[in-house]
């Protein structure tokens, strides 16, 4: 059973950076596409970025273009979300998710495995 655990969230000021991590256990991360989602207070969950098994990235949110990047380290079974130039509107709980071990490519399909989320607050 794939398990995903996010870390790295916290309180930062506008303009600062954070790097979130998504650690996988169970099947290795190597064969799995990882997506990052976020859910702001009172809003629907939003898909932000996805990185596939080969390291190719699919972008889903125009609001983070040029500021957020996704990457992965298969040897460490970990994916990352680097967030730069953070804005108050980036405040949300951030989740990593995956369709599963047989889905190495990013897609619009439903995610079957989710982490519990890590909160990010951007405020002065």
């Amino acid at each position: 059973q794939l398990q995903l655990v996010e870390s790295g969230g916290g309180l930062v000021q506008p303009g600062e950076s954070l790097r979130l991590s998504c650690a996988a256990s169970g099947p290795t991360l190597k064969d799995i596409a990882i997506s990052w989602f976020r859910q702001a207070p009172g809003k629907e969950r939003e898909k932000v970025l996805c990185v596939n098994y080969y390291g190719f990235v699919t972008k889903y949110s125009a609001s983070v273009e040029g500021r957020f990047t996704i990457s992965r380290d298969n040897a460490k079974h970990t994916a990352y979300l680097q967030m730069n130039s953070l804005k108050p509107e980036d405040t949300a709980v951030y989740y990593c998710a995956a369709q599963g071990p047989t889905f190495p490519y990013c897609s619009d399909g439903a995610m079957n495995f989710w982490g519990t989320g890590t909160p990010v607050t951007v405020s002065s």
Side-chain angles (χ1 to χ4, degrees):
Q1 181 80 354
L2 176 64
Q3 291 186 321
L4 303 172
V5 179
E6 305 93 339
S7 62
L11 172 64
V12 297
Q13 295 188 347
E16 293 185 339
S17 298
L18 274 177
R19 188 177 78 159
L20 306 183
S21 298
C22 173
S25 61
T28 66
L29 188 60
K30 180 175 180 286
D31 301 318
I32 301 168
I34 293 292
S35 296
W36 282 98
F37 290 75
R38 67 182 181 181
Q39 187 164 19
K43 295 187 177 181
E44 293 188 355
R45 189 163 51 198
E46 174 190 24
K47 192 171 186 178
V48 179
L49 291 163
C50 176
V51 59
N52 73 11
Y53 157 58
Y54 300 100
F56 289 105
V57 174
T58 303
K59 302 175 183 179
Y60 291 89
S61 174
S63 64
V64 305
E65 181 73 32
R67 300 187 299 122
F68 289 15
T69 57
I70 189 173
S71 62
R72 60 192 293 150
D73 185 335
N74 291 335
K76 296 182 178 180
H77 310 302
T78 302
Y80 304 96
L81 182 67
Q82 178 66 44
M83 306 186 295
N84 299 328
S85 302
L86 282 160
K87 304 175 181 181
E89 51 264 43
D90 294 319
T91 295
V93 178
Y94 285 74
Y95 301 88
C96 62
Q99 286 184 274
T102 60
F103 296 90
Y105 298 102
C106 299
S107 77
D108 294 331
M111 300 293 113
N112 297 309
F113 300 91
W114 292 86
T116 56
T118 185
V120 172
T121 303
V122 185
S123 175
S124 55

